[in-house]
Amino acid sequence: QQPVQSPQAVILREGEDAVINCSSSKALYSVHWYRQKHGEAPVFLMILLKGGEQKGHEKISASFNEKKQQSSLYLTASQLSYSGTYFCGAGGFGNEKLTFGTGTRLTIIP
Amino acid sequence: EAQVTQNPRYLITVTGKKLTVTCSQNMNHEYMSWYRQDPGLGLRQIYYSMNVEVTDKGDVPEGYKVSRKEKRNFPLILESPSPNQTSLYFCASGPGWGYGYTFGSGTRLTVV
């Protein structure tokens, strides 16, 4: 079952902050975050691992609540280049069966 | 340049005609995977491979085959394509669990 992302779409003005949520019905051992611009491939932003380790983008932060099986991606002082569709991916432990959410479309306007 | 290369980028074929989409990575990654992307459904995993000769089903494996004979290559085979396999396909690779993935540029497949 795919993780549920919210909101499905959001429009912000440049400089505003955004939060994208990802909720899984299964136990989470890792959460991936990717951004995809129209007509392009998804690009890796960040990975959060059970136990607290995080790896990824300098200007983007995220949280991982293992008990609630939820993750949130925080985009602060958004720039026009942040526009795109954001996907979270829920991963198990020890294998790479990764299930993505249906995406959140973020539009930043000047 | 580190990359994942998919070919072809675009393909139109007829129902039932076997086809192969190739995927190659030059980063010595252990892990490779195939996804399909459809409007409103996001990315759905078809198959993945943890290493040479090790493959496993993702969420939507029906109608697809894969093989991993070499570390760098992970072709996707459609033995008898049907119109419901019309989609945008992405190959991805990564060092393994706990690391992010690099995606290829995608293959847009149309089955008529």
Side-chain angles (χ1 to χ4, degrees), chain B residues 20-39:
Chain B
T20 300
V21 184
T22 63
C23 175
S24 180
Q25 51 94 4
N26 62 2
M27 296 167 279
N28 200 36
H29 283 165
E30 301 283 335
Y31 166 84
M32 297 185 76
S33 183
W34 278 101
Y35 292 86
R36 61 177 290 173
Q37 186 172 32
D38 303 288

Side-chain angles (χ1 to χ4, degrees), chain A residues 3-6 20-24 31 33 69-72 88-89:
Chain A
V4 176
Q5 288 186 232
S6 63
I20 300 172
N21 302 302
C22 176
S23 181
S24 173
V31 178
W33 285 97
Q69 295 160 192
Q70 294 175 344
S71 177
S72 295
C88 71

Side-chain angles (χ1 to χ4, degrees), chain A residues 78-93:
Chain A
S78 55
Q79 306 169 17
L80 293 175
S81 61
Y82 287 6
S83 291
T85 300
Y86 289 76
F87 293 99
C88 71
F93 179 77

Side-chain angles (χ1 to χ4, degrees), chain A residues 12-75:
Chain A
L12 296 174
R13 292 202 176 274
E14 211 173 354
E16 292 182 333
D17 299 339
V19 180
I20 300 172
N21 302 302
C22 176
S23 181
S24 173
S25 60
K26 298 181 180 180
L28 287 176
Y29 291 89
S30 66
V31 178
H32 294 229
W33 285 97
Y34 292 80
R35 176 171 60 214
Q36 184 179 30
K37 294 186 178 288
H38 183 70
E40 299 181 7
V43 173
F44 171 69
L45 296 175
M46 174 166 287
I47 184 170
L48 303 100
L49 306 176
K50 190 170 184 175
E53 187 177 359
Q54 296 186 13
K55 304 171 194 173
H57 205 283
E58 289 179 357
K59 297 185 179 179
I60 293 173
S61 63
S63 64
F64 182 12
N65 187 322
E66 297 170 22
K67 286 186 178 178
K68 291 186 177 181
Q69 295 160 192
Q70 294 175 344
S71 177
S72 295
L73 186 71
Y74 305 98
L75 305 167

Side-chain angles (χ1 to χ4, degrees), chain A residues 2 34 36 55 92 96-97, chain B residues 31 37 41 59 96-98 101:
Chain A
Q2 290 180 274
Y34 292 80
Q36 184 179 30
K55 304 171 194 173
E96 299 292 12
K97 192 175 189 301
Chain B
Y31 166 84
Q37 186 172 32
L41 297 177
D59 292 317
W97 188 85
Y101 305 152

